[in-house]
Amino acid sequence: MKRLVPSIILIAILYVLSTTNPERSAYIDWVNHKTMDKSSSLIEKGVLSVAGKSIFDAGTTQKDYFIFSIYKTDFSEVGLGTITSIGIFNKFFTIKKSN
């Protein structure tokens, strides 16, 4: 009985983590909104609102680890650097940003 309770708790935690692992489309929306919020130019905001999702989708890679995902968006070719984020509990957190 002593081993059953921790096993059930572990299974419950893994289940919650796996069901709250956000999708790639949610990350693309998040990074698009984050970039639009930091943009100061109306032209940049207009471009991001029209084509931002497809731009970020093309430059993003995802590694899915079942209970969380790591997303890397690479724009070093255009001088914007890379952003590495982790998606867990239906939230995204930037863990590394380089220019």
Side-chain angles (χ1 to χ4, degrees):
M1 189 66 171
K2 289 182 179 181
R3 295 182 136 208
L4 184 63
V5 173
S7 297
I8 291 172
I9 292 172
L10 179 64
I11 290 170
I13 290 171
L14 289 175
Y15 175 76
V16 168
L17 285 170
S18 68
T19 58
T20 59
N21 184 3
E23 298 289 327
R24 180 183 174 98
S25 60
Y27 172 77
I28 300 299
D29 289 339
W30 175 78
V31 77
N32 190 35
H33 287 294
K34 184 176 176 181
T35 307
M36 282 179 60
D37 290 344
K38 289 185 178 183
S39 175
S40 60
S41 169
L42 281 175
I43 294 172
E44 287 178 5
K45 286 184 180 185
V47 168
L48 288 173
S49 68
V50 172
K53 289 182 183 181
S54 61
I55 292 170
F56 290 118
D57 191 32
T60 299
T61 57
Q62 174 189 8
K63 291 186 179 178
D64 189 356
Y65 294 101
F66 185 67
I67 57 174
F68 67 93
S69 294
I70 295 180
Y71 299 90
K72 184 175 181 181
T73 305
D74 185 8
F75 289 112
S76 56
E77 295 174 0
V78 293
L80 297 176
T82 61
I83 299 172
T84 305
S85 302
I86 186 168
I88 191 166
F89 293 119
N90 286 327
K91 302 280 184 195
F92 299 100
F93 304 97
T94 302
I95 54 175
K96 185 179 176 186
K97 190 174 187 180
S98 63
N99 290 334

